[in-house]
Amino acid sequence: MTQRNIGSKMFKNGKHLVTTAGATLAIATVAVTMPSGVSANTVNNSTAQSTQTSNTKEGNFEAEKPTENAKLDTLQNQQKASEQQKLNENSESIAQKQKDLNAEQANLPSKQAEETKSYDQQTDQAVAQQKATSQQAIADKQAQQSQQVADAEKQIQQDSVAKQAQLDADPAISAQAQRDAATKKRDDALKQAEADKASETAQANATKDNDTKVANDKATSDAATTKQNRDDQISSADYTVNNAESVANVKQSQANEDAKNKQTSDDNTSLNKKNQATTDAQTAHDNNQTIKDNQSQVNASQADYDAKQKVIDDIIAKTPYVATPTKNLTDDSISYNPESKIHQTENLPTELVTPIYNAVQDKGYGKYDLYQSVLEQDNSEQVNGKLTDAQQKELADYALTLINNWRKSQNMNPIIWTQDMQNITVKNANTRTDDGMGFVHTSQNTTVFNALETNAAASGLRYGGENMGVALVEDKTTMNTLRVSILNTITNMIYFDASSNNGHLNNFKNSNYMGFAMQYDTNAQDVKTGFGYISLFDFYQSNDSQSAESKSTVLAPTFASTYRAGINPTAAQYQAASDAKSKLQSDQSTLANSISDNDQQLANTLQTINNDYDNEVQSHLNNYNNSINQAQATRDYEVNNAQSIHDAHVKQANQDYTTQSTQIASILDATLSKINNAYQEALTSISDKYNTTVNQATETFNTEYEAAKDETESARQARHNEAFEAFKASEAQKLSDLEDRLANELVAFRENEEQKLNKLVADRAAGRVALLSNQQKARDNFPEYAANVINELRAQLNKEYQDLVDANAKAYIAAEAQSQA
């Protein structure tokens, strides 16, 4: 028969529990499993562990070596597992990031389409607004012009009334008055004609004398200027030839300075252009409407998620707490935190929490109960004697819940619990009770052990080991009393098992199949000790190649999902909060993407601006160098050709002087002749004008004198009517001129409004072309952007992995040093 290791067991001795190794632990008088009251048959097949203790240091050293080596192996395995887990997580992170980037790239066209659609909508709105503004402006202009015309018509009416009143007050003209007026008119005309003739004759003489003087002076001046020009040109040519190199050098220096000034000016212009473009790009980046809209959506989603989460939080705030191990554990005493006290079913934890303890407690002693069973609000079923199969299954459900949740935290598969395993373990508990077995392993009683193996074989299983714990007798034992004892037992077996060489812990780690039952303890010695119930964790294996779970119904623990179901938030509330959170995360991702796109677009724009600036500055430098080279070539040409230029200038100066002197004399003769001709023509014109004026005045006088007679009323009225009609015609012409001017202004005004609209349409079209170009760049550059993101993430994750490897190596070296000590 396979030998199985048996861990140390504990017996009550006064106020302490004494192990066979001589270690003691003070106990609390509560009806829960005693931390040191545990014993384990391990799953592996190794030589039975000795329960005797050597009194020599050498014996202690040799006894500790396997334990220390096992600790180091365990630590190394845990480190390897954590490193492998980190590698797996890194792969998953990179795959998820690649998936997110693929989704982002897939969504990019639709997102850009929305941007284009939004831009087109803005264009339509702007054009519609401009049209409405222009129509209103034209309407206002027309109204203003209509008012101007109405005001002019009103003024004409007022002026016509005044003119009519003026004519009505004008009397008829008498015959003598007409003759006197004709005589005065004739005398005034003759007098004026004499004065005009004298004045115009004097003016003609003065004009002739002045024009003659001006012509002579101009000829003299032109001759002097021409001579001076010739002399200056010859002197300049002499100076140029004599100072050709100096002048050329000065010109070259000035040309170089001008070239440098132009380069500096052009560079400054380009810099200002770059700065303005950068400011415009930054302004467009900072005012990105998409980001503002996405931020508003994130704010709304955050508010929606906060509201839904608050519903859950408010419910949870009223939910009884889940108990945790006491933090007031010492070597010699214990006091319980409020959160370590279990008052009712809902305080029971379903996951183990690592207790706080020190090295002495872990190595030398068992533990006090880490949870206190107050249970004044306990309404669970009372237990007395043997448990029913249903009660056994409830307790097994709780035990498997704790163990499997711990295994899950260690990245291990759950222990499998089948109906046959449960039935076999319950039968074993009842057989042990009937046989009067106390706190000893089943394997130590041949009769009971044979019955266990027979029952296991009948189900195709074989026994694989056993963990045991005890609960003290209570005045009132309930299902929750036993659950708290199970909680304390499992917590101590996993976290305080050094004194048992981690036999219990290894069984929970290495086993794949288990059943659980509570044995009613009737053993006389145990009753004296105060034991009431013994918890049995029996482990099994398949006795053939067929898996154990295939031989019976697999049971699934339900305690965790049911015992607080009535007081927790509903699945619908959790789902609503989860959906709201997913929506928030999606909106946050969209916001982050839009910010990233906006930043990338700004970076691209700034890069283009900087490139354009650099190209322009280089072009300015090239132009400067070309100007410098041209100045040098010009300087050399002027120096080398100075004499030929001088000779040509002197020759040309003499030729120009001769030609211009001849032209000056000819122009003077022609001008004097023209002046005399104009003078004679003026005298003739003055005489003709005087004779004509005298004849007309005489003829008009004779006609008017002979025609003079008293004006009749009808003649006066006809004269008045003629004057009034002439006045009305003049006013009508003024109104017509006003209407023509206003019509021309309205045409110009309409054209100006149309130009505004055309400019807006052209600007928006150019903006759309730029938008589409930027979108194309974003699509073209996305693969490179995605590759950079993946590379950066991979580098970060690789560093995190290497940091973990380094930290594990240091931890292992420290543990190895401590173990050697």
Side-chain angles (χ1 to χ4, degrees), residues 563-628:
Y563 87 114
R564 292 169 67 91
I567 58 176
N568 289 324
T570 65
Q573 289 169 328
Y574 276 119
Q575 186 61 48
S578 177
D579 292 344
K581 184 176 182 181
S582 297
K583 178 65 166 59
L584 172 61
Q585 292 172 340
S586 175
D587 292 340
Q588 288 172 333
S589 177
T590 299
L591 172 61
N593 290 337
S594 64
I595 291 175
S596 176
D597 291 343
N598 192 36
D599 291 344
Q600 185 60 48
Q601 182 175 350
L602 174 62
N604 293 340
T605 301
L606 294 180
Q607 184 62 48
T608 299
I609 292 171
N610 290 330
N611 290 341
D612 291 344
Y613 171 73
D614 292 341
N615 292 336
E616 290 180 4
V617 169
Q618 183 60 47
S619 176
H620 301 159
L621 178 60
N622 294 338
N623 292 339
Y624 168 75
N625 291 331
N626 291 337
S627 298
I628 293 296

Side-chain angles (χ1 to χ4, degrees), residues 211-444:
D211 290 346
T212 300
K213 184 177 183 304
V214 168
N216 288 326
D217 290 345
K218 184 176 186 306
T220 301
S221 174
D222 289 346
T225 299
T226 299
K227 183 178 184 301
Q228 187 62 47
N229 286 341
R230 181 199 64 181
D231 295 342
D232 289 344
Q233 289 179 18
I234 293 174
S235 296
S236 176
D238 292 341
Y239 176 81
T240 298
V241 75
N242 293 330
N243 301 277
E245 186 171 0
S246 175
V247 172
N249 290 339
V250 171
K251 288 175 64 178
Q252 179 188 22
S253 177
Q254 184 61 49
N256 291 346
E257 181 180 353
D258 292 344
K260 174 54 69 176
N261 291 338
K262 186 175 188 310
Q263 180 194 20
T264 302
S265 175
D266 291 345
D267 285 350
N268 290 336
T269 300
S270 296
L271 179 60
N272 293 335
K273 175 183 174 183
K274 169 193 171 185
N275 292 338
Q276 184 60 51
T278 301
T279 299
D280 294 344
Q282 187 66 52
T283 300
H285 170 272
D286 295 342
N287 296 327
N288 187 287
Q289 188 60 44
T290 299
I291 293 178
K292 292 181 180 179
D293 294 343
N294 290 343
Q295 183 63 64
S296 298
Q297 182 60 51
V298 167
N299 294 342
S301 297
Q302 183 70 59
D304 181 57
Y305 168 65
D306 291 343
K308 290 182 171 61
Q309 185 62 42
K310 186 176 185 302
V311 173
I312 295 173
D313 293 341
D314 289 345
I315 295 174
I316 292 176
K318 301 174 183 176
T319 300
Y321 65 86
V322 176
T324 56
T326 180
K327 299 178 182 177
N328 298 319
L329 180 66
T330 67
D331 289 338
D332 300 317
S333 64
I334 187 170
S335 61
Y336 288 98
N337 313 106
E339 60 269 20
S340 302
K341 298 180 179 182
I342 299 177
H343 304 275
Q344 56 184 323
T345 303
E346 287 77 15
N347 294 136
L348 287 167
T350 59
E351 297 181 359
L352 299 181
V353 177
T354 305
I356 299 175
Y357 56 90
N358 59 45
V360 174
Q361 291 168 334
D362 187 35
K363 286 187 175 181
Y365 301 96
K367 295 296 174 293
Y368 289 104
D369 295 337
L370 301 171
Y371 298 85
Q372 183 180 16
S373 58
V374 182
L375 294 176
E376 81 283 2
Q377 302 176 35
D378 185 17
N379 58 3
S380 65
E381 186 178 0
Q382 188 169 348
V383 177
N384 187 12
K386 288 183 179 181
L387 278 68
T388 66
D389 289 349
Q391 290 171 334
Q392 293 282 25
K393 189 173 182 180
E394 283 187 30
L395 296 180
D397 187 313
Y398 185 57
L400 267 296
T401 296
L402 294 174
I403 294 169
N404 281 341
N405 280 343
W406 172 79
R407 282 172 62 102
K408 181 179 180 181
S409 72
Q410 305 302 307
N411 295 319
M412 299 169 60
N413 293 327
I415 289 179
I416 297 174
W417 173 40
T418 69
Q419 186 63 56
D420 282 355
M421 296 172 191
Q422 181 63 21
N423 293 341
I424 296 167
T425 306
V426 171
K427 287 179 182 179
N428 185 37
N430 291 335
T431 302
R432 288 169 57 94
T433 299
D434 295 340
D435 195 75
M437 283 189 69
F439 189 60
V440 293
H441 280 294
T442 301
S443 60
Q444 296 182 26

Side-chain angles (χ1 to χ4, degrees), residues 20-40:
T20 56
T24 63
L25 171 67
I27 64 171
T29 56
V30 293
V32 295
T33 303
M34 298 309 297
S36 294
V38 296
S39 185

Side-chain angles (χ1 to χ4, degrees), residues 592-803:
N593 290 337
S594 64
I595 291 175
S596 176
D597 291 343
N598 192 36
D599 291 344
Q600 185 60 48
Q601 182 175 350
L602 174 62
N604 293 340
T605 301
L606 294 180
Q607 184 62 48
T608 299
I609 292 171
N610 290 330
N611 290 341
D612 291 344
Y613 171 73
D614 292 341
N615 292 336
E616 290 180 4
V617 169
Q618 183 60 47
S619 176
H620 301 159
L621 178 60
N622 294 338
N623 292 339
Y624 168 75
N625 291 331
N626 291 337
S627 298
I628 293 296
N629 295 335
Q630 182 61 43
Q632 181 66 44
T634 300
R635 180 261 180 202
D636 294 342
Y637 174 80
E638 290 177 350
V639 170
N640 295 332
N641 295 278
Q643 187 60 49
S644 59
I645 293 173
H646 166 268
D647 296 342
H649 283 182
V650 170
K651 180 180 179 180
Q652 186 64 46
N654 288 324
Q655 290 177 349
D656 291 344
Y657 174 72
T658 301
T659 300
Q660 291 171 5
S661 296
T662 301
Q663 289 177 345
I664 291 170
S666 176
I667 291 172
L668 175 60
D669 292 341
T671 301
L672 292 176
S673 175
K674 184 177 180 181
I675 290 171
N676 288 326
N677 292 337
Y679 174 69
Q680 293 301 323
E681 290 176 358
L683 292 179
T684 301
S685 175
I686 291 170
S687 178
D688 293 343
K689 177 182 177 184
Y690 172 77
N691 293 332
T692 299
T693 300
V694 170
N695 293 333
Q696 287 178 347
T698 301
E699 291 176 0
T700 299
F701 168 76
N702 293 333
T703 301
E704 291 178 350
Y705 193 88
E706 292 296 328
K709 58 183 177 180
D710 292 335
E711 186 177 31
T712 64
E713 180 60 27
S714 60
R716 184 184 75 84
Q717 187 63 44
R719 177 169 57 81
H720 286 184
N721 290 342
E722 182 179 359
F724 188 67
E725 289 301 324
F727 174 79
K728 290 197 297 183
S730 175
E731 293 299 304
Q733 185 60 46
K734 291 179 182 178
L735 180 60
S736 176
D737 292 344
L738 174 63
E739 290 174 341
D740 291 343
R741 178 173 61 81
L742 293 179
N744 292 333
E745 288 181 3
L746 182 60
V747 169
F749 189 83
R750 288 180 184 274
E751 290 177 352
N752 185 57
E753 291 300 319
E754 184 176 0
Q755 289 175 359
K756 290 180 182 178
L757 179 60
N758 292 338
K759 184 178 185 303
L760 173 62
V761 172
D763 290 345
R764 294 300 298 184
R768 191 178 194 276
V769 171
L771 174 63
L772 294 177
S773 176
N774 289 335
Q775 290 177 344
Q776 183 62 46
K777 289 180 181 178
R779 293 195 299 273
D780 293 342
N781 295 336
F782 194 89
E784 180 180 356
Y785 157 75
N788 290 337
V789 170
I790 292 297
N791 290 337
E792 290 174 1
L793 177 61
R794 181 176 285 107
Q796 174 189 345
L797 295 177
N798 288 341
K799 183 179 183 303
E800 292 175 0
Y801 171 76
Q802 190 58 49
D803 290 344

